[in-house]
Amino acid sequence: MNKPIKNRRQFLATVGAAGAASMLAGSAETVASPADGKEKLAINGGTPVRKSQLHYRPYGPQFYDDAEKKELIDVLESKAPFRWRGPGSKVLQFEKAYAAHIGVKNALGVTSGTTALYTALAALEIGPGDEVILPAWTWYADYDAIILCGALPVFVEIDGSLDIDPAEIEAKITPRTKAIIAVHLQGCPADMDPIMEIARKHKLRVLEDCAQCLGGRYKGKYVGTIGDIGINSFQLSKSITSGEGGAVISNDPELFERAIRFHDVGVIRSPYKESLHGGIMAAFASCNFRMNEFTGAVLKGQLLKLERICGGLRKNAKKVREGIADLPDLKMRKTPDVAGDLGVTIFIDHGTRKRRDQFLRALRAEGIAASGPGGSAILPTNQRIEKKVTIHPEWPSFNSPEGKAMTYGIECCARTTDILGRTGGVVMDPNFTDDDTDDIIAAIRKVYLAMRT
Ligand SMILES: *Cc1c(COP(=O)(O)O)cnc(C)c1O
């Protein structure tokens, strides 16, 4: 099958994807059922676009090299793996470099994205009696961190961007609402302008969860630098990774001080003690979510690759988007900022779940990794959430009159469930070659056009 593939690539190079698909329909070498002007799909016994399947691979480890290695060896040789060890601290160096890179005053390394969320909500003084708004489709950690604070989660539906629908937020605000968690899901920045406007109007705090959008931008600003406080995760499936890890970011020195104290037994240590002039608040009951030096070392090395990873994803996503843009009636995921979007997956709205599933099956048969929206869960219909299960029957979240009255389930997420069920996509990789993206374009075009009639 080498020859026809070569030919197809030459077509793509000379006439572009749009022309290639229709020209290929007449190529005797690749077309099994030329009568209807369409290629026979691999799922129906035709020749797949690719012989070997294109798989999702975590991005960060693909870029591990001597940078991470050197930093890690430094820590081993220093015999000082604890972060509070003066200016040589890798965690501190990472925090400074990361804050400077994304344009925020302060960054704090913590143990995970989940503990970053808990720390950020603590910094915002969220507690029993407070309500926090979050999207119905996101990672468990957003909901769990609100529960850990003893506060009440309030779900809002997503829209065609697969992020929280700003138009649905105001209806969920009550006198007890204290914050909105804007989650930048699957590489796509949430529409921050309307969210910030609503928050200002109702005097609410905004926490940006950037775990799935590290390196993403909204109207020229890095996500996480727009709201009051932001968080990140460096778990394996995120833009850069140390296996596990997280960060809290904020321009606000008071929020930052409370975050530092909450993540480290209530205290502030050098050098933050000096830079915050001793701080403005007393110690309080807190945790230990300190990042260790090995994690800081890997992240210091990974940060050097962040723009390469994001740039690779964006370049490949742009190419695929452009290669399929002319398909009739194509409904791609909307984004409030196509240049800032990471393009981790090319999502298409197929109208119905049945068509989506057919499309994905056919695409996989062509050798292309294709799936429904992943990496998050539809939370309100998750069993433990619908049943409001906590570790203690008197947990404050569900013992206030509002907490008792709160009901989750499908009524909070009918539209979210519908949108996600219709949506399917092809995962991108920063290291896809031109041949890989050509194959993705060819496969999407082949399947989409075959399913048209
Ligand atoms: C991954 C993720 C988290 C949690 O990060 P961990 O490091 O896995 O704890 C939080 N929010 C979102 C949106 C995520 O995708």
Side-chain angles (χ1 to χ4, degrees), residues 105-154:
K105 287 199 184 111
N106 308 292
L108 178 71
V110 294
T111 49
S112 72
T114 304
T115 57
L117 280 165
Y118 187 19
T119 302
L121 289 174
L124 293 171
E125 298 175 280
I126 304 290
D130 296 332
E131 292 174 11
V132 179
I133 286 170
L134 77 166
W137 185 59
T138 184
W139 188 238
Y140 297 93
D142 292 301
Y143 169 88
D144 290 336
I146 299 167
I147 298 289
L148 285 174
C149 291
L152 185 61
V154 177

Side-chain angles (χ1 to χ4, degrees), residues 183-205:
V183 191
H184 307 291
L185 287 152
Q186 289 286 309
C188 175
D191 200 358
M192 291 306 290
D193 282 349
I195 293 171
M196 294 308 291
E197 197 182 312
I198 293 162
R200 264 184 227 111
K201 183 171 153 200
H202 296 272
K203 300 197 165 45
L204 307 177
R205 301 290 214 150

Side-chain angles (χ1 to χ4, degrees), residues 395-409:
W395 201 265
S397 299
F398 300 121
N399 275 290
S400 65
E402 295 76 22
K404 284 194 174 113
M406 176 62 74
T407 52
Y408 298 132

Side-chain angles (χ1 to χ4, degrees), residues 111-117 138-142 183-186 209-213 231-238 243-246 375-376:
T111 49
S112 72
T114 304
T115 57
L117 280 165
T138 184
W139 188 238
Y140 297 93
D142 292 301
V183 191
H184 307 291
L185 287 152
Q186 289 286 309
D209 179 345
C210 312
Q212 296 182 13
C213 201
I231 71 98
N232 241 307
S233 165
F234 308 111
Q235 186 267 342
L236 180 66
S237 62
K238 318 299 179 171
E244 300 283 3
S376 289

Side-chain angles (χ1 to χ4, degrees), residues 39-192:
E39 292 181 82
K40 188 170 179 183
L41 297 180
I43 201 165
N44 297 328
T47 306
V49 169
R50 280 184 80 90
K51 266 190 278 184
S52 62
Q53 189 91 21
L54 262 186
H55 282 298
Y56 164 76
R57 293 179 301 166
Y59 318 137
Q62 297 181 46
F63 293 78
Y64 282 169
D65 60 18
D66 285 348
E68 287 86 349
K69 199 169 172 179
K70 182 196 157 293
E71 301 289 348
L72 271 173
I73 289 171
D74 279 355
V75 177
L76 280 171
E77 290 181 344
S78 74
K79 303 198 188 296
F82 184 60
R83 74 154 294 173
W84 302 116
R85 62 171 179 113
S89 163
K90 300 293 183 192
V91 176
L92 183 67
Q93 289 167 8
F94 168 68
E95 288 168 347
K96 298 288 178 203
Y98 169 50
H101 188 92
I102 64 169
V104 70
K105 287 199 184 111
N106 308 292
L108 178 71
V110 294
T111 49
S112 72
T114 304
T115 57
L117 280 165
Y118 187 19
T119 302
L121 289 174
L124 293 171
E125 298 175 280
I126 304 290
D130 296 332
E131 292 174 11
V132 179
I133 286 170
L134 77 166
W137 185 59
T138 184
W139 188 238
Y140 297 93
D142 292 301
Y143 169 88
D144 290 336
I146 299 167
I147 298 289
L148 285 174
C149 291
L152 185 61
V154 177
F155 291 109
V156 167
E157 302 261 25
I158 62 165
D159 62 22
S161 69
L162 312 187
D163 285 322
I164 194 166
D165 183 351
E168 298 287 318
I169 292 175
E170 262 187 314
K172 299 296 177 80
I173 294 173
T174 76
R176 294 165 300 282
T177 309
K178 200 147 169 192
I180 301 167
I181 305 183
V183 191
H184 307 291
L185 287 152
Q186 289 286 309
C188 175
D191 200 358
M192 291 306 290

